[in-house]
Amino acid sequence: MPRIAIVDNEKLKDIQQKRYIASICPVNRTGNECIKVEEDGKLTIDEHLCTGCGICPKAAPNAIKIINLPEELTTKPIHRYGENKFVLYSVPTPTVGKVTGILGVNGIGKSTAIKVLASVITPNFGDWTMHEAGYDSLISYFKGTEAQGFFEKLRDKQIKVAYKPQQVDLIPKTTKGKVIDLLKKVDEKNALKKISGELELNEILNNEISEISGGELQRVAIAATVLKEANLYIFDEPTSYLDIKQRIRISKFIKSLINEDSSVLVVEHDLIILDYIAELVHLMYGKEDAYGIVSGVKPVRNGINVYLSGYIKEENVRFRDSTIKFAEKPPVKKKHAKEVITSWKEVEKKLGNFELKAHSGSIHKDEIIGILGENGIGKTTFVKILAGVLKEDKGGISQKIRVSYKPQYLEVSDQLVVDALKTAFQKYENQIIHPLNIVPLSLKPLNELSGGELQKVAIAHCLQHDADLYLLDEPSAYLDSEQRLVLSKVIRDFIEHKGASALIVDHDLLFVDYISDKLIVFEGKPAVSGSVAGPFEMEEGMNKFLKELGITLRRDPETNRPRVNKLDSRLDREQKEKGRHYYT
Ligand code: SF4
């Protein structure tokens, strides 16, 4: 059976530990050098000699992985980052005239694959010692497939690629100056005025890049991409930091880039948005941080359903043990509402020029309430008032309750994960630590975690405290779609187990729909005013919110997952006429 070894030398303590690991390898004991400690102190594993006995990964579970590859995988890799490092086996293929999505968990190589297409990474076909491969090697590698034609056109300059990278928060670290100067530099189409209008950037054009918000940075990065002369646009996670209204707007904008000569590739974790934006989808599967394979292209509805099922029939691959299922919604009303744990009345708060009003509402025990609304209309302010972090100017909160709060922006330090999550490791191993897969992170300092890892730790940190109410501000940010669904279950089980309640502020509509019993809806004008309405039953709250957005949802008959109806389609018109924006 073919296998690969992944070694993270930074997680191996010292030379003694490495020598010890080499000494316990049965292949080494027969006189061969399967595990080697190199002159520079690095531990390497010869994948051809390794028998997959599993002894060394047990000795250093955080640093060594031995992975058996599927028997069917006979193709040569496209790219490997180095000896005993991540390996990618194929790439997605853009289709002219269509938006093609890429769906897969974090660490499976989505960004690597699109960097190959965007010529940011020159593939080495698994031989990291070789010099750069040219287009001709790529063309011969893909002979007889659609990708052959793609790379021929790329070589002949018939395809020009514009690429928006995933981590827009890194832009201020490398680019200084005003937004307008950055956009002027890349404006090959002379369309700055038009695009900045469409992406609502006019008001921030003269702001410093270092001072704009995450959502603004995202839209600036999208503008910088589409201002380039190109016929293949690649967007790596274009909706992170954006609220739902902006996500829908950006989706429409990206779709509008398509014509008979152009194509778009998009990596997206928000399944409702991916479904809305793309016509086709490639699934990526394999083993996180070890290897990634790209599936054949599928129509988007079918592709997302296959992804949820965990099994690709055509390729006979099971990439997840369980199927992700959606329950019928709205949830059955609890017959006896449990006791009220807190309530508010005529709360008002002024912050600079911004004004927040919350009329009246209450939260019951054992309830999860989703909070929906656009950015800048006071969601975080309201959450902070309930948490006692901010004091209201008028009105009041009925009872003083114990609140545990996870903020939207996460602070880091050099504290180790295991120290930050002491209580969770002691009391909630089965409820929090294992399901969120935090054990492999335990010895990492917080400031070395990726965005998704830090998010999971921050959620665990919030849940480990004893509280009556858990307030989680944007818990889905940086998590992939699978982690978001796992997280829903973790929060739901935990709240039930504790007999507590939770408020969840989030922009992923599917996540909010999946986790919530009730909804609070925010309305208002960003940076000017916000008003809090609810909590409502799901149907009433969603109807209110979706009406404001101008979209309707239906249920996929196979999986029950929510899907956005095409604007002005028969269902869209019918549901709007009946005032049923949310499926029932
Ligand atoms: Fe040696 Fe492979 Fe066994 Fe590790 S898994 S101890 S490298 S044979």
Side-chain angles (χ1 to χ4, degrees):
M1 180 177 276
R3 66 179 58 86
I4 53 169
I6 303 291
V7 182
D8 185 346
N9 269 281
E10 284 181 12
K11 288 191 188 141
L12 290 168
K13 263 189 267 148
D14 48 33
I15 205 86
Q16 267 82 17
Q17 188 196 16
K18 292 176 190 177
R19 287 198 184 119
Y20 167 73
I21 292 169
S23 74
I24 57 174
C25 172
V27 181
N28 281 33
R29 287 178 167 218
T30 63
N32 289 303
E33 259 195 326
C34 177
I35 300 185
K36 205 170 161 188
V37 182
E38 307 283 350
E39 275 176 18
D40 60 4
K42 253 177 44 192
L43 182 147
T44 58
I45 296 178
D46 186 325
E47 292 163 353
H48 302 291
L49 292 176
C50 171
T51 60
C53 75
I55 291 176
C56 66
K58 270 201 195 119
N62 288 334
I64 300 178
K65 288 182 200 150
I66 304 288
I67 293 146
N68 291 327
L69 296 170
E71 289 284 7
E72 311 75 42
L73 190 65
T74 48
T75 48
K76 205 168 132 184
I78 282 278
H79 188 69
R80 192 158 197 185
Y81 280 106
E83 187 169 21
N84 301 141
K85 295 242 164 84
F86 182 86
V87 52
L88 177 72
Y89 279 93
S90 35
V91 287
T93 321
T95 302
V96 177
K98 299 212 186 303
V99 178
T100 304
I102 303 170
L103 179 57
V105 297
N106 282 339
I108 209 75
K110 299 184 297 298
S111 297
T112 306
I114 59 179
K115 279 181 188 163
V116 169
L117 296 178
S119 306
V120 175
I121 287 180
T122 308
N124 58 24
F125 303 106
D127 179 2
W128 53 92
T129 59
M130 76 185 269
H131 295 298
E132 297 198 337
Y135 284 121
D136 290 335
S137 346
L138 269 164
I139 291 160
S140 77
Y141 178 91
F142 285 111
K143 211 169 176 118
T145 67
E146 287 215 16
Q148 178 190 352
F150 171 80
F151 285 109
E152 278 171 354
K153 285 187 186 149
L154 204 60
R155 175 195 61 193
D156 302 340
K157 306 215 175 346
Q158 289 169 25
I159 291 181
K160 209 172 160 234
V161 183
Y163 163 60
K164 185 207 81 72
Q166 177 192 30
Q167 283 185 283
V168 292
D169 41 339
L170 297 183
I171 297 173
K173 292 192 180 130
T174 54
T175 313
K176 304 279 169 235
K178 289 190 167 40
V179 170
I180 191 158
D181 298 328
L182 163 73
L183 295 180
K184 268 185 185 164
K185 255 188 234 160
V186 292
D187 186 12
E188 296 170 0
K189 291 178 179 165
N190 204 11
L192 199 154
K193 210 170 158 198
K194 178 175 172 282
I195 298 298
S196 67
E198 286 179 37
L199 293 175
E200 298 182 316
L201 294 173
N202 288 338
E203 282 184 20
I204 59 152
L205 283 177
N206 285 311
N207 293 10
E208 291 292 321
I209 291 162
S210 56
E211 283 165 13
I212 61 177
S213 71
E216 289 163 347
L217 263 177
Q218 183 69 269
R219 286 180 285 131
V220 168
I222 292 171
T225 309
V226 302
L227 284 171
K228 290 184 191 132
E229 262 326 330
N231 49 6
L232 168 59
Y233 294 96
I234 303 180
F235 299 96
D236 197 347
E237 299 190 25
T239 69
S240 38
Y241 297 110
L242 301 184
D243 64 38
I244 301 176
K245 214 173 199 174
Q246 291 166 337
R247 287 179 190 204
I248 298 280
R249 226 180 273 137
I250 287 294
S251 304
K252 287 182 185 161
F253 176 78
I254 290 178
K255 280 195 223 201
S256 75
L257 299 172
I258 285 293
N259 59 41
E260 55 195 22
D261 297 318
S262 65
S263 44
V264 169
L265 270 183
V266 56
V267 173
E268 181 57 56
H269 292 306
D270 180 329
L271 290 182
I272 287 191
I273 292 298
L274 180 72
D275 195 14
Y276 184 64
I277 207 171
E279 269 184 77
L280 302 169
V281 70
H282 283 284
L283 307 185
M284 283 196 71
Y285 58 93
K287 179 94 189 141
E288 292 102 294
D289 302 322
Y291 76 100
I293 300 173
V294 184
S295 79
V297 73
K298 299 175 191 315
V300 70
R301 174 182 170 255
N302 172 253
I304 295 178
N305 288 355
V306 167
Y307 180 74
L308 296 173
S309 79
Y311 175 61
I312 309 178
K313 200 171 159 200
E314 303 80 34
E315 294 163 41
N316 192 22
V317 171
R318 174 156 295 287
F319 58 90
R320 194 186 321 105
D321 292 337
S322 57
T323 296
I324 296 168
K325 289 195 185 105
F326 288 80
E328 290 278 338
K329 283 266 181 169
V332 185
K333 272 189 204 166
K334 286 171 185 154
K335 280 194 186 122
H336 306 289
K338 295 202 175 159
E339 64 187 272
V340 171
I341 61 156
T342 189
S343 61
W344 56 93
K345 210 166 180 197
E346 305 310 330
V347 167
E348 289 184 24
K349 175 82 192 165
K350 225 172 167 338
L351 279 174
N353 293 328
F354 178 77
E355 209 172 359
L356 176 78
K357 285 188 180 159
H359 301 295
S360 64
S362 55
I363 300 170
H364 296 83
K365 200 170 173 178
D366 211 4
E367 239 174 24
I368 298 184
I369 299 176
I371 299 189
L372 291 174
E374 57 189 302
N375 279 337
I377 55 171
K379 295 190 303 300
T380 307
T381 306
F382 180 63
V383 162
K384 281 186 178 169
I385 291 174
L386 287 187
V389 178
L390 274 179
K391 178 88 187 93
E392 63 277 10
D393 300 334
K394 278 190 193 160
I397 312 289
S398 69
Q399 286 143 66
K400 293 276 168 251
I401 49 169
R402 294 169 307 160
V403 176
S404 183
Y405 172 58
K406 183 202 84 69
Q408 183 180 12
Y409 296 105
L410 309 169
E411 281 187 23
V412 291
S413 66
D414 55 7
Q415 191 182 27
L416 294 182
V417 170
V418 69
D419 294 331
L421 299 183
K422 217 173 188 166
T423 313
F425 271 96
Q426 280 166 0
K427 285 169 71 180
Y428 303 119
E429 260 202 308
N430 293 331
Q431 287 101 336
I432 301 175
I433 298 295
H434 288 305
L436 291 181
N437 199 19
I438 288 174
V439 176
L441 313 176
S442 50
L443 295 177
K444 274 190 176 182
L446 297 177
N447 54 13
E448 283 180 20
L449 299 177
S450 71
E453 290 168 345
L454 187 61
Q455 184 67 270
K456 291 195 289 181
V457 171
I459 293 163
H461 187 260
C462 170
L463 296 181
Q464 74 177 351
H465 295 111
D466 280 334
D468 305 301
L469 182 67
Y470 294 87
L471 302 177
L472 295 146
D473 201 349
E474 295 200 28
S476 84
Y478 300 110
L479 300 184
D480 63 48
S481 38
E482 202 163 321
Q483 289 169 330
R484 291 176 192 194
L485 295 169
V486 169
L487 175 65
S488 305
K489 193 170 168 351
V490 170
I491 296 176
R492 184 156 276 292
D493 291 350
F494 184 79
I495 292 300
E496 210 175 301
H497 166 81
K498 293 281 285 186
S501 309
L503 284 183
I504 314 280
V505 180
D506 212 272
H507 295 306
D508 181 329
L509 210 47
L510 186 138
F511 174 72
V512 173
D513 186 50
Y514 196 73
I515 197 170
S516 312
D517 298 312
K518 286 188 179 171
L519 280 182
I520 288 177
V521 179
F522 274 71
E523 289 172 332
K525 200 163 184 276
V528 179
S529 64
S531 76
V532 185
F536 300 107
E537 295 298 334
M538 284 303 283
E539 192 178 340
E540 193 185 351
M542 274 288 188
N543 263 328
K544 192 174 167 60
F545 183 69
L546 297 174
K547 195 171 177 188
E548 172 80 17
L549 278 183
I551 61 170
T552 54
L553 291 184
R554 70 182 182 285
R555 207 185 265 295
D556 179 71
E558 209 176 296
T559 59
N560 279 331
R561 71 184 162 90
R563 304 189 71 199
V564 178
N565 288 321
K566 211 169 159 212
L567 194 69
D568 282 332
S569 64
R570 185 184 53 80
L571 265 179
D572 184 57
R573 279 184 282 117
E574 272 177 22
Q575 283 184 231
K576 280 179 179 161
E577 271 161 30
K578 289 180 192 157
R580 286 188 169 174
H581 290 250
Y582 182 59
Y583 53 70
T584 50

